[in-house]
Amino acid sequence: MTAIASPDISRRFLLRSAAALGLVAVGALRPARAQTVKPDAKSALIVVDVQNCFVDGGTLPVKGGAEVVPLINKLAASFDNIVVTQDWHTPGHASFASSHAGKKPFETTAMPYGTQVLWPDHCVQGSDDAALHKDLKLPKAELIIRKGFNKNVDSYSAFVEADGKTMTGLAGYLKERGIDTVFVTGLATDFCVAWTALDARKLGFTTYVIEDATRAIDLNGSLANAWKQMTDAGVKRIKASDIS
Ligand code: VGL
Ligand code: ZN
């Protein structure tokens, strides 16, 4: 007898093939598991503004702000280079609503460098409010960048003040040390984290934001807007569990 498959066998074969194809199709629809990222000697963790002012009990509390602290402490073990930033305003700073007659916090005003959101008085230089969160444990951090200390100019970004031209020195520091990749964490996602990440991209760094190690203010859609701008600029949005 010649080896011709019986109709029964070929039907079973077809069914099995279809099932296999089905599985492949479902697999293709499932989002690809993000590859883990391994920070190397050219990577730096940037911990933005994890200060008393931005957690409960502070002057400009970010919802859930303190929740980033244990995660950042844990992430720090994966990095050789860690930079910390502090929002560090003069009394009577131009970003404070109290410095503008008739203005209330969370309104805006026109500054020579553009529209400025006006905040409650916060993170005044040398105050307990401006101190780093007491549970932040980053003994290896080698640099603290303070920003927003020019009375008439705000600085959400750790790289460039809000005038768009005054550099803080962070880019030079990182570049002189051969660092080409930054991982941004801290507070707040939609202001200082986003502006720092966007400037990092502009300055040529490969840039990640570790989303669950940030918390947002989310003022009038600012969070969605910040993620759109970051994604469009090539900032990579990852989770702490993506880091090996
Ligand atoms: C920040 C508002 C005002 C921040 C600083 O750290 O995101 N937000 N100053
Ligand atoms: Zn500020």
Side-chain angles (χ1 to χ4, degrees), residues 143-163:
L143 180 73
I144 298 179
I145 283 277
R146 288 172 167 171
K147 58 186 183 60
F149 50 72
N150 285 324
K151 194 170 181 180
N152 297 313
V153 186
D154 205 359
S155 189
Y156 296 144
S157 166
F159 290 98
V160 190
E161 294 189 2
D163 62 4

Side-chain angles (χ1 to χ4, degrees), residues 55-56 163 226:
V55 302
D56 284 345
D163 62 4

Side-chain angles (χ1 to χ4, degrees), residues 49 54 60 87 89 119 122 147 154 156 187-188 191-192 217:
D49 298 4
F54 297 119
L60 179 43
D87 211 35
H89 298 309
W119 305 103
H122 66 281
K147 58 186 183 60
D154 205 359
Y156 296 144
L187 306 171
F191 289 91
C192 293
I217 294 174

Side-chain angles (χ1 to χ4, degrees), residues 48-51 53-54 60 62 85-89 95-96 106 116-120 122-123 147 154-157 186-195 215-217:
V48 175
D49 298 4
V50 182
Q51 295 166 265
C53 25
F54 297 119
L60 179 43
V62 178
T85 77
Q86 270 178 304
D87 211 35
W88 200 250
H89 298 309
S95 73
F96 298 171
F106 310 109
Q116 169 75 50
V117 178
L118 296 171
W119 305 103
H122 66 281
C123 299
K147 58 186 183 60
D154 205 359
S155 189
Y156 296 144
S157 166
L187 306 171
T189 326
D190 42 348
F191 289 91
C192 293
V193 168
W195 287 52
R215 289 294 183 279
I217 294 174

Side-chain angles (χ1 to χ4, degrees), residues 38-44 81 159 171 173-183 200-201 203-208 236:
K38 192 167 171 50
D40 62 13
K42 293 177 166 186
S43 306
N81 307 290
F159 290 98
Y173 170 88
L174 293 173
K175 287 182 180 179
E176 284 188 6
R177 294 172 52 116
I179 288 163
D180 61 13
T181 303
V182 297
F183 293 75
R201 280 296 302 140
L203 290 159
F205 295 94
T206 300
T207 307
Y208 295 85
K236 298 172 210 250

